[in-house]
């Protein structure tokens, strides 16, 4: 029986994922559950800015290859371990696929790098089918926050300077990828969340409900 329950937080930059993850951890641990946090791996990297590294397609491909491979290996290892816990993952594998497809300028890659790109794409695609069928239990997809809330992100080197313009296109494309991999026959629960319209108590209620659902269906 599957004991490890994955709750994945998906969406574009600055949509409330990290703050909501912290609240989820607080709620689940208050109920006595063990929680494993899989934070966004990009933030472990020392970069000048995300815009700067994206100007060099090979460097950005190298970075994505490292991050995505590590993410998949971490998720797969936790799935195989099958420990009684909740895994809270900052970004689904579809988010990773979006960044690879949208921000790597393939026209600037030579033949060798295109082979690496294709191999990485195939690796993600194969894993995504498995993840949405057998690994992910809940996919929470975040709607972008309001303009006013995004203004203060301009000093974050891990977010693009033109976030106000592109955040909606990021969201729509990630949503399209999620829809493509969500199998109607799988048990993965889909939740669309707009945190600007959801207060803290409603969020607490959501995670209490998820705790109740999974506690009585095999995690105990």
């Amino acid at each position: 029986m599957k004991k490890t329950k994955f709750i994945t937080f998906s969406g574009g930059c600055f949509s409330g994922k990290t703050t909501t993850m912290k609240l989820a951890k607080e709620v689940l641990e208050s109920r006595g559950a063990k929680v494993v946090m899989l934070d966004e791996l990009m933030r472990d990297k020392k970069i000048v800015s995300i815009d700067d590294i994206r100007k060099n397609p090979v460097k950005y491909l190298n970075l994505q290859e490292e991050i995505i491979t590590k993410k998949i290996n971490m998720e797969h290892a936790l799935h195989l371990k099958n420990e009684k816990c909740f895994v809270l993952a900052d970004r689904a594998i579809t988010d990773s696929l979006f960044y690879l497809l949208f921000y790597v300028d393939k026209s600037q890659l030579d033949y060798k790098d295109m082979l690496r790109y294709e191999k990485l794409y195939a690796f993600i695609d194969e894993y995504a089918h498995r993840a949405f069928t057998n690994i992910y239990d809940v996919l929470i997809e975040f709607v972008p926050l309001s303009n006013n809330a995004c203004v203060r992100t301009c000093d974050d080197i891990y977010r693009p300077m033109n976030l106000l313009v592109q955040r909606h296109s990021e969201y729509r494309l990630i949503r399209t990828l999620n829809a493509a991999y969500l199998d109607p026959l799988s048990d993965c629960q889909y939740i669309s969340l707009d945190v600007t319209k959801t207060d803290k108590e409603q969020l607490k209620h959501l995670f209490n409900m998820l705790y109740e659902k999974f506690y009585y269906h095999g995690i105990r």
Side-chain angles (χ1 to χ4, degrees):
M1 183 176 290
K2 186 174 181 292
K3 297 178 181 179
T4 305
K5 302 300 179 181
F6 276 77
I7 303 177
T8 59
F9 297 73
S10 176
C13 288
F14 206 75
S15 54
K17 296 185 300 299
T18 303
T19 301
T20 306
M21 276 183 66
K22 291 177 180 177
L23 181 61
K25 182 176 186 290
E26 175 186 314
V27 170
L28 294 171
E29 288 184 337
S30 74
R31 300 293 299 271
K34 178 178 179 179
V35 176
V36 176
M37 298 283 282
L38 291 183
D39 295 321
E40 190 176 8
L41 294 174
M42 174 64 77
R43 291 187 174 274
D44 293 336
K45 302 301 176 183
K46 295 185 183 299
I47 60 175
V48 174
S49 72
I50 195 65
D51 288 318
D52 178 73
I53 197 167
R54 283 173 179 165
K55 292 176 183 176
N56 187 319
V58 176
K59 284 186 177 180
Y60 190 61
L61 175 60
N62 293 342
L63 181 62
Q64 287 299 323
E65 186 175 40
E66 178 185 351
I67 289 173
I68 291 168
T69 301
K70 184 175 181 180
K71 175 181 177 59
I72 290 176
N73 289 340
M74 290 170 66
E75 290 186 2
H76 185 59
L78 286 167
H79 173 66
L80 289 180
K81 189 176 181 180
N82 201 26
E83 183 181 13
K84 185 169 65 175
C85 68
F86 285 94
V87 175
L88 306 183
D90 193 339
R91 298 197 174 279
I93 190 58
T94 37
D95 295 56
S96 301
L97 180 56
F98 160 74
Y99 286 109
L100 180 72
L101 293 173
F102 194 73
Y103 286 114
V104 175
D105 185 355
K106 295 182 288 298
S107 69
Q108 302 300 313
L109 299 179
D110 63 20
Y111 181 77
K112 181 179 179 181
D113 288 323
M114 272 304 302
L115 287 177
R116 287 199 301 124
Y117 180 95
E118 171 57 27
K119 183 178 179 180
L120 181 58
Y121 185 112
F123 180 49
I124 300 170
D125 179 62
E126 188 275 333
Y127 177 74
H129 282 291
R130 287 191 292 119
F132 276 79
T133 303
N134 300 314
I135 299 177
Y136 295 165
D137 298 281
V138 181
L139 176 78
I140 303 179
E141 187 181 83
F142 287 74
V143 175
L145 299 182
S146 66
N147 285 346
N148 289 340
C150 285
V151 169
R152 61 188 174 87
T153 69
C154 60
D155 292 330
D156 188 339
I157 64 171
Y158 296 98
R159 294 183 175 126
M161 289 297 294
N162 59 353
L163 176 59
L164 287 175
V165 177
Q166 67 191 58
R167 61 200 174 92
H168 291 291
S169 60
E170 285 196 354
Y171 164 67
R172 291 187 182 99
L173 288 166
I174 291 173
R175 182 178 63 181
T176 298
L177 289 170
N178 285 334
Y181 285 100
L182 275 166
D183 187 338
L185 300 179
S186 78
D187 294 326
C188 183
Q189 179 180 351
Y190 169 81
I191 298 171
S192 179
L193 186 61
D194 184 344
V195 298
T196 61
K197 299 178 181 179
T198 311
D199 63 33
K200 188 174 182 179
E201 291 307 311
Q202 289 174 311
L203 290 174
K204 286 183 176 180
H205 177 70
L206 168 63
F207 293 112
N208 273 309
M209 291 287 289
L210 291 176
Y211 172 84
E212 294 290 342
K213 174 181 179 178
F214 292 123
Y215 184 84
Y216 292 108
H217 288 80
I219 198 170
R220 179 165 50 182

